[in-house]
Each structure stands twice: as C-alpha cells, then as structure tokens.
Amino acid sequence: MLLNSQNVISTSLTVRILGWFICLAVIIALGIVRIATESKFAFASLMLLPVLVGTWLSGRAAGWLLAAFASALWGYADYSSGKFLESLLIPLLNALVHLVNYGITVELTRGVMVLLQREFNTARMDRLTGLLNRRGFMEMAAQQVSIAERIGASVVIAFIDLDRFKQLNDTKGHKAGDAALREIGARLQQTKRASDICGRIGGDEFCIFALESKPGKSHEWAIRLHEDLTDALDLHKPAGVSIGVACFESMGRNLEEMLRLADETMYEVKHAGKGKVLVRAF
C-alpha cells in the first residue's frame, strides 16, 4: 500500500560509492607519484585525508579497505625504489606501520560518526515512547513531502489523540499516564508500515505521515489503526483514542497546512463524542 523512498536511498548510495572511488583515485595518484620519484617524496600524511573521507562517506569496512590499499601501495613504493633490496622486511614493516596509522584514523572517524549519529537521534527522539519527537517528525515529514511532490504520490496524515488522558492521570497517577503513552508508542512501532513516519508531537498527541499508492484504502487502514490502539489501551482505562485522518490526493499544500487540516479533522471527532475515526479527503 505504501510507496517508499527507494530513489532517495539509491541516490545516497551512488554518492557514497562515487566518493569512495574518488578517494581511491587520490590514493593511487599519490602512490604513483611516490613510485615515480623512487620514494623521494613522502605522502603518508596526505593519504590520511582520502582514508578519512572514504570512511566518513562509506563506513568502517570501506575505510579499512582504503587503509589497506594505501599501506600496500606505500610498501610497494619502498620496495620498487631499490633502497631495500637487501631485505624485504623493511618495506613490509613500513607498510604495517602505515596500516596501523591509517587504521587508527578509520576507527577514530567511525567513533566520531557514531557519536554524532547518537546525538542526532537523541535530539529527535521522544525518550518515553521511542517515537520521533515533534522536531524529528517535522523534519522527516518535510522530506516525505518533497518525495511525494517528485513522484506524484498522495499523502495520508493521521492525528491521534488520547481521550480522557487527564482523567487517567488524575485518578491513577502520572505513572499510569506514562505507561499508557509507552503502550501507544510500542503499538505504533509494531503496526506501522516500513515507510510510515510516527511521532509524538504533543503531550498525548501522536501523528502518522504516510505516502499512499491507494488512497481508497485509507479508511480501512484508519479503522484497523483505531482498533489496534484501543486494544493497546485496554489496561489503561478510562483512556481511549480519537483519530482524524486527512488524505491528500495531490500535493497542492505545504506541510503545515496539511497538518492543520489533519488536526482539525481529529478535533471534529473529539467534538462529536470521542473514541471514533474520521477520514476526510482534500
């Protein structure tokens, strides 16, 4: 039912592959110069740069491959210079030393990447539910809007609001309220489709953004979603769920307006008696 962003992934993969081959070409060029000058010029520190960039673009394994190739090329340059004909051990040891240095660069770069990714994710995740927070949701949804415009896909946005959540907090305590929110987050994680974007965008408000290939199926999907979330709250009564779904068959609006219309649809449900689903096409 869903369209995904495979074209975006492919583009990113192309950039990574192209970047890695450029780094490899730089290493080869430096190695050729060293071989041609009979090892008179040292480019060990310069080779660190393509190793670092290649690791950053393509990951640890690709970085280690560049490091190994650069080290082997360095050792071959030493050997071909004729300075160490009496012993092959010296070029081998030189190559090994450079491999260690380049390997340290790969691991340090990888460590920085992991740390930055962790910080990036933390800033965009809701710790209580494990879903995206409002900032993360808006960023991801904006990307999906661009994809929808490019490929001509329709968009479905579901606003989810917990009914009687304040009553749950008042009668059973905030721990009970937090447990209900966690249960909703877990159920959304379990039932969402691969390219759905789910986020907790307010205290007891959640939102799903999806690219649709069959808008006519949206009502059935919304009904199943309501049943799943109502079941998830079975042990957290009196809390319930109201869902407003806005379907956009063409991309003539910006993200903020689309979210506003979905939010208004959800409030129509709240004013009509709560605990139901309303789907509107725009």
Side-chain angles (χ1 to χ4, degrees), residues 46-174:
L46 282 178
M47 282 192 175
L48 287 172
L49 182 59
V51 171
L52 187 154
V53 173
T55 303
W56 189 272
L57 289 175
S58 305
R60 174 188 285 169
W64 271 105
L65 187 58
L66 289 173
F69 188 83
S71 302
L73 195 57
W74 192 274
Y76 178 75
D78 283 350
Y79 172 74
S80 64
S81 68
K83 297 178 181 179
F84 307 104
L85 293 178
E86 70 280 3
S87 175
L88 291 176
L89 183 60
I90 293 177
L92 287 174
L93 287 176
N94 283 341
L96 180 60
V97 169
H98 285 96
L99 179 60
V100 170
N101 290 333
Y102 298 149
I104 291 173
T105 299
V106 170
E107 292 304 316
L108 288 176
T109 303
R110 177 61 180 170
V112 171
M113 291 173 64
V114 170
L115 180 62
L116 289 176
Q117 186 64 49
R118 185 181 299 131
E119 291 299 319
F120 180 87
N121 291 338
T122 300
R124 288 158 178 78
M125 298 297 293
D126 176 58
R127 294 184 179 181
L128 181 63
T129 63
L131 300 174
L132 292 169
N133 59 20
R134 185 177 186 86
R135 175 183 176 182
F137 178 86
M138 294 298 288
E139 290 180 357
M140 293 290 291
Q143 294 176 11
Q144 293 294 84
V145 167
S146 297
I147 294 172
E149 291 175 342
R150 189 160 59 248
I151 65 178
S154 58
V155 167
V156 172
I157 299 177
F159 252 83
I160 303 163
D161 186 82
L162 300 194
D163 302 325
R164 297 175 294 278
F165 183 70
K166 184 177 184 301
Q167 184 179 345
L168 175 65
N169 279 330
D170 291 344
T171 57
K172 297 185 179 180
H174 289 286

